[in-house]
Amino acid sequence: MKKIFITFISLAVLTLGSAYSQDLQKILDKYFETIGQEKLLNIKSQISTGKTLQMGEEMPFKAVTKRPNKAYLEVEVQGAKMRQGYDGENGWMIAPWMGSAEPVDLVGPDLRPMKEMSDMDGNLWNYGEKGHQLELLGTEEMEGTQVYVLKLTKEDGDIDHYYIDSENYVVLKMSSKIMVNEQETEVEVYMSNYQEVDGILIPFSTEQRYNGQTGMTINLEEIKFNEKIDDTFFAKPVAAPAEEQ
């Protein structure tokens, strides 16, 4: 009798897992259809401009991505420009307020955001080929809206959760945990104001919360696709030669 019971439970778990797997693929298919993923796959480059608001200060920014795996970010802070780049292999940053106008290398956790930004297709597209694992955890209510909750375990072990509107099939929130000043911090990214640009649906407003507190809002103003951008644009700038004494 015990053996039959265990077999029944095992079959139930396997059946539930199979059903969730089928549901997950249906959700992904509908999500990709909604956002225009097929059109996005044909985009070679993207230039986004807008403003961020952090601690009451508004800062203009420009974000540039190009296939394959290239990214650039520029943010103006109190008249000075912070610049970050990733050429597909190496990352760099220039932050004048750090006491130097020379580029420094980005490595480890500091490089991760630029590498993710360079993936124009997003982490959910072909997640298995990228070494990630994806699970459907179920549904829940989020601010009055039913959402599907997806758990993405990345190749490096980091975990993100995606909350997809069960009716409109857009991502309303993404959450993850990162280390800030050697302390684990929960980061939630809320996406809204979706607008269609050349058949691709993009959130023009993003709010980032750290441990439940709003840390930054990002508002897009303009997006351009398929502008010609030379690969050297993403390369680490050559440091100025030291002056001879």
Side-chain angles (χ1 to χ4, degrees), residues 187-200:
V187 180
E188 297 173 302
V189 180
Y190 290 80
M191 286 155 272
S192 60
N193 189 22
Y194 275 86
Q195 298 182 32
E196 188 175 298
V197 181
D198 295 342
I200 300 169

Side-chain angles (χ1 to χ4, degrees), residues 136-197:
L136 171 60
L137 299 184
T139 62
E140 65 178 56
E141 291 288 320
M142 192 187 87
E143 298 181 358
T145 301
Q146 186 181 59
V147 294
Y148 297 112
V149 183
L150 276 56
K151 177 183 177 182
L152 181 73
T153 304
K154 301 178 188 175
E155 185 179 23
D156 60 10
D158 284 352
I159 295 176
D160 292 341
H161 289 86
Y162 290 80
Y163 299 79
I164 298 178
D165 189 319
S166 63
E167 182 177 349
N168 297 313
Y169 288 90
V170 294
V171 175
L172 297 181
K173 184 177 80 167
M174 188 183 75
S175 67
S176 60
K177 291 185 178 180
I178 63 173
M179 297 301 293
V180 177
N181 296 327
E182 299 183 352
Q183 291 187 340
E184 187 176 71
T185 301
E186 182 180 22
V187 180
E188 297 173 302
V189 180
Y190 290 80
M191 286 155 272
S192 60
N193 189 22
Y194 275 86
Q195 298 182 32
E196 188 175 298
V197 181

Side-chain angles (χ1 to χ4, degrees), residues 31-33 35-42 120-122 125:
Y31 164 68
F32 291 134
E33 178 186 355
I35 67 171
Q37 186 75 27
E38 290 298 328
K39 290 183 173 64
L40 179 60
L41 296 176
N42 293 318
M120 295 183 63
D121 300 329
W125 180 257

Side-chain angles (χ1 to χ4, degrees), residues 185-227:
T185 301
E186 182 180 22
V187 180
E188 297 173 302
V189 180
Y190 290 80
M191 286 155 272
S192 60
N193 189 22
Y194 275 86
Q195 298 182 32
E196 188 175 298
V197 181
D198 295 342
I200 300 169
L201 203 59
I202 297 173
F204 268 61
S205 297
T206 303
E207 178 188 354
Q208 296 183 5
R209 300 179 188 176
Y210 301 90
N211 290 333
Q213 301 296 317
T214 299
M216 178 189 300
T217 58
I218 301 173
N219 294 303
L220 293 176
E221 295 176 347
E222 185 179 31
I223 293 178
K224 295 180 180 179
F225 291 132
N226 292 329
E227 297 284 310

